Amino acid sequence: MKTRATSGGLATLGGLALAIGLAVMPLTPALADDHAAEEEEVEIVNQMSFPADAMWQHSFDAYEGSAGEVNAALRRALAFSKAMEGEGVAPERVKVAIVVHGPSVFDVSNDARYGEKYYGLENPNKDVIAQLVERGAEIWVCGVAAKYHKVGNLHLLDGVKMAPSGTVAHAELQRRGFGINAY
């Protein structure tokens, strides 16, 4: 096949790539369905012990956020807290912290500020944040990111606090013995 460069670029190759992509695309869901059909029920039995007198201090980093969606890091932090409780660990022995920076600063802001950014939407993170705060979680906002995105202290949801920066917040949490979630 000959391809000729034109003002539109390599149209023949681009068209071929698009045709191949469209031809392959329908196979992906079929493969996923075949895999699901082959799955069998598996039993999972916890073999890890959690001493009754131990403390767990775990922090999460929230950077990415999407309009109208619950922030994944906030959701993971709440899931961790509930999972530990589900394993019989007393809630007062589990300390969770979240450091919020980058565009996710809007995810911890009130509806008015969230709506200014995201076309009138209400903040879908309010319930998760309220549950985290009720469980004693610390939610720290990077002051540098907040200033850049024009999210001030008065815009923050109840229980959310401002830190000088995300780096400083993580350093302070680590100084106090918090581990950081790897994902």
Side-chain angles (χ1 to χ4, degrees):
M1 166 190 340
K2 282 191 171 184
T3 304
R4 186 168 47 111
T6 64
S7 62
L10 299 174
T12 306
L13 289 178
L16 179 61
L18 178 61
I20 291 171
L22 291 174
V24 172
M25 197 168 63
L27 295 177
T28 305
L31 293 175
D33 289 342
D34 288 344
H35 179 68
E38 293 176 9
E39 287 185 23
E40 61 183 63
E41 193 69 29
V42 296
E43 181 181 11
I44 304 296
V45 177
N46 175 33
Q47 295 175 304
M48 186 176 280
S49 62
F50 301 98
D53 62 342
M55 290 291 297
W56 287 268
Q57 298 183 129
H58 201 54
S59 68
F60 297 79
D61 185 78
Y63 177 79
E64 306 260 340
S66 296
E69 295 181 19
V70 175
N71 184 290
L74 296 171
R75 197 173 53 242
R76 281 192 301 273
L78 182 58
F80 168 75
S81 181
K82 288 180 177 182
M84 294 300 286
E85 188 175 322
E87 290 300 325
V89 175
E92 63 272 7
R93 298 217 160 265
V94 178
K95 304 295 181 200
V96 173
I98 304 99
V99 176
V100 180
H101 58 108
S104 65
V105 298
F106 294 102
D107 293 343
V108 294
S109 67
N110 59 29
D111 281 336
R113 186 64 187 103
Y114 190 89
E116 286 175 23
K117 171 67 175 172
Y118 296 121
Y119 316 105
L121 293 176
E122 288 187 8
N123 188 341
N125 296 284
K126 292 183 298 192
D127 182 53
V128 171
I129 291 168
Q131 289 181 60
L132 284 163
V133 170
E134 184 178 311
R135 290 172 167 273
E138 297 180 41
I139 304 173
W140 294 100
V141 176
C142 169
V144 175
K147 184 173 184 171
Y148 175 81
H149 290 289
K150 297 180 177 25
V151 174
N153 291 63
L154 296 176
H155 296 122
L156 301 178
L157 291 170
D158 289 341
V160 177
K161 299 175 183 169
M162 194 70 71
S165 72
T167 304
V168 169
H170 276 300
E172 172 55 16
L173 290 167
Q174 289 175 14
R175 185 194 67 76
R176 290 196 267 146
F178 279 78
I180 186 163
N181 201 61
Y183 60 93

